[in-house]
Amino acid sequence: MSMDLVVLLYLIASVCFIQSLKGLSHPTTSLRGNAFGVAGMTIAVVTTAALIVSLAGSITGLGWVLLGMVIGGGAGAIMAKRVEMTRMPELVAFMHSMIGLAAVFIAIAAVAEPHAFEIAARGELIPPGNRLELFLGAAIGAITFSGSVIAFGKLSGKYKFRLFQGAPVSFRGQHGLNLVFGLLLLGLGGMFVVSQSWPAFLGMLALAFVLGVLLIIPIGGGDMPVVVSMLNSYSGWAAAGIGFSLHNPLLIIAGSLVGSSGAILSYIMCKAMNRSFFSVILGGFGGEASAAASGDGVQRSVRSGSADDAAFVLGNAETVIIVPGYGLAVARAQHAVKELALKLTGKGVNVKYAIHPVAGRMPGHMNVLLAEAEVPYDQVFEMDEVNADFPQADVAIVLGANDVVNPAALQKGSPIYGMPILDAYKARTVIVNKRSMAAGYAGLDNDLFYMDKTMMVFGDAKKVVEDMVKAVE
């Protein structure tokens, strides 16, 4: 198989990946984007398999590759089929960890068997430029792997181990320790680049794995959407670094696409939370949970109602804005919400959905949730598009959201001051469905719950919404 043909096929696959990314930027073109992604990956895999056979002169070595593909592909297919929508962020974090680990293994293989790669055709010593690329790809991959494992645990919430708790884990001298480890990592990496020293390479990898843990544990649950996006970016840069080492243009292009898009998305997420990227890395929201009390510790009362009460208010409204949050995802209530919207629309009510950029546990979580229920795209609006409509809305119904509708963001001195929120508090009537008065990721009480215009309806979102559907006349 000629290298010119390989480069051409890799170029075609790269174009497919670019078109995939473009298609995934909007719900109406997402199916086409996925099709391009599948086509690009199919071309890449088949081309790589043919190249292995061509270079080896037989199909013997390909058997191990196929075995790995069957095991990995089978595990991926089972996980993707079984995963619930609420667990999708965890699956994404897990996939990031696997990409990082793959980059580490490729780097180890290149250093252990340099003669197996084109870069070593000139001898046992890898050229310094390629050693630098291997160092960067392996270090970023190791940080991505261990950091993603911690993110997975924090998102899951199933593990009692302290490092996997949603609250930040911090200790005295933490940032100084991170700085020391970072400098040592760079020093060992420099030694490897200069001498191709195995001890320096392995020491660098060990420090990178530890540093990945230390970077993520002080970040609270409130910043997890940014962390997921950031780790996505890391995994892309790790793949790109290894691509340079292996002279593989497809890895370079695909890794750069993932790395740059993840970095841009991280910036967008930080902007939506009025936080800098460095403030997220240095420790995030969620350090202190608060009770449902005012700043002076005095308990405040709320006005609560039933699903029937909420249905009566909704049925007599002309304009309703639905604000979905993570509580809706946990209850898997998206289909019931769509049914409620259809019933209200049938009564002549104008229904819209308001999406905050960081609602849920990953970027676009609520959009995917509503798309699964086949909610019409023309009813779904982003924060900047819908905020002007809240003052004219008769009812804003908040389902499981918390920090993204918290008016505390408007108060100077609040930990979330300046964070853009959905202006649900401006609607004439606000209905809030939550299981309890527990605080959100930021650990802050929500003033919206105590407003005179607010009715709290406690209970599982799916059950509550289904009761509303039955009660709407």
Side-chain angles (χ1 to χ4, degrees), residues 139 142-143 146-147 174 177-183 185 204-217:
I143 291 172
S146 56
Q174 187 169 29
L177 181 62
N178 289 347
L179 177 60
V180 171
F181 277 13
L183 292 175
L185 186 149
M204 175 273 297
L205 277 181
L207 281 174
F209 282 123
V210 173
L211 196 57
V213 174
L214 293 176
L215 285 174
I216 303 302
I217 58 173

Side-chain angles (χ1 to χ4, degrees), residues 105-459:
F105 283 154
I106 293 173
I108 292 174
V111 177
E113 299 288 344
H115 60 276
F117 296 87
E118 180 188 351
I119 57 176
R122 299 175 290 276
E124 288 299 317
L125 283 179
I126 300 171
N130 294 122
R131 292 201 292 266
L132 175 61
E133 294 156 2
L134 285 171
F135 155 57
L136 292 175
I140 297 173
I143 291 172
T144 302
F145 170 74
S146 56
S148 296
V149 170
I150 298 299
F152 172 85
K154 284 177 173 285
L155 288 168
S156 175
K158 293 193 255 183
Y159 308 103
K160 295 182 179 180
F161 190 42
R162 191 185 174 198
L163 296 184
F164 291 153
Q165 299 300 306
V169 177
S170 58
F171 52 87
R172 181 176 297 180
Q174 187 169 29
H175 299 316
L177 181 62
N178 289 347
L179 177 60
V180 171
F181 277 13
L183 292 175
L184 285 174
L185 186 149
L186 292 175
L188 290 172
M191 289 177 59
F192 169 73
V193 172
V194 171
S195 63
Q196 197 172 318
S197 165
W198 257 113
F201 182 76
L202 295 178
M204 175 273 297
L205 277 181
L207 281 174
F209 282 123
V210 173
L211 196 57
V213 174
L214 293 176
L215 285 174
I216 303 302
I217 58 173
I219 303 177
D223 287 321
M224 272 301 121
V226 180
V227 173
V228 170
S229 176
M230 178 186 68
L231 291 170
N232 177 46
S233 180
Y234 287 178
S235 67
W237 296 126
I242 296 299
F244 278 108
S245 300
L246 303 182
H247 300 292
N248 188 314
L250 181 63
L251 267 179
I252 296 171
I253 295 173
S256 299
L257 285 173
V258 174
S260 57
S261 61
I264 293 170
L265 190 56
S266 297
Y267 169 76
I268 294 173
M269 294 296 105
C270 287
K271 186 178 180 181
M273 298 168 69
N274 192 40
R275 301 185 27 84
S276 70
F277 177 78
F278 290 105
S279 69
V280 172
I281 293 300
L282 295 177
F285 294 149
E288 298 178 359
S290 61
S294 63
D296 56 7
V298 177
Q299 289 293 127
R300 292 187 285 176
S301 61
V302 298
R303 182 168 67 95
S304 62
S306 65
D308 289 345
D309 297 329
F312 176 80
V313 175
L314 291 169
N316 288 279
E318 294 183 1
T319 303
V320 172
I321 299 179
I322 300 173
V323 180
Y326 185 66
L328 180 142
V330 171
R332 300 187 61 79
Q334 62 270 30
H335 296 283
V337 171
K338 181 192 176 184
E339 188 177 355
L340 175 64
L342 286 174
K343 201 161 187 180
L344 291 174
T345 302
K347 291 174 58 65
V349 179
N350 180 22
V351 178
K352 296 180 179 180
Y353 295 83
I355 306 295
H356 192 281
V358 294
R361 288 196 172 183
M362 66 178 291
H365 196 179
M366 295 300 105
N367 300 79
V368 174
L369 199 73
L370 297 179
E372 185 188 34
E374 298 183 349
V375 170
Y377 298 132
D378 59 1
Q379 291 183 3
V380 181
F381 296 88
E382 299 298 327
M383 177 178 64
D384 293 339
E385 300 173 309
V386 77
N387 262 351
D389 296 332
F390 277 107
Q392 289 77 45
D394 294 308
V395 181
I397 175 168
V398 180
L399 300 169
N402 200 326
D403 298 325
V404 297
V405 293
N406 192 344
L410 307 174
Q411 302 169 7
K412 289 185 178 181
S414 168
I416 61 172
Y417 173 66
M419 171 181 166
I421 61 169
L422 290 167
D423 294 339
Y425 70 96
K426 291 184 179 180
R428 296 186 180 94
T429 301
V430 181
I431 299 172
V432 179
N433 165 242
K434 279 175 61 71
R435 290 177 179 270
S436 68
M437 291 295 293
Y441 286 146
L444 300 175
D445 207 9
N446 194 331
D447 292 337
L448 176 66
F449 302 161
Y450 307 100
M451 291 183 172
D452 293 337
K453 65 170 69 176
T454 301
M455 175 195 298
M456 301 294 297
V457 182
F458 295 104

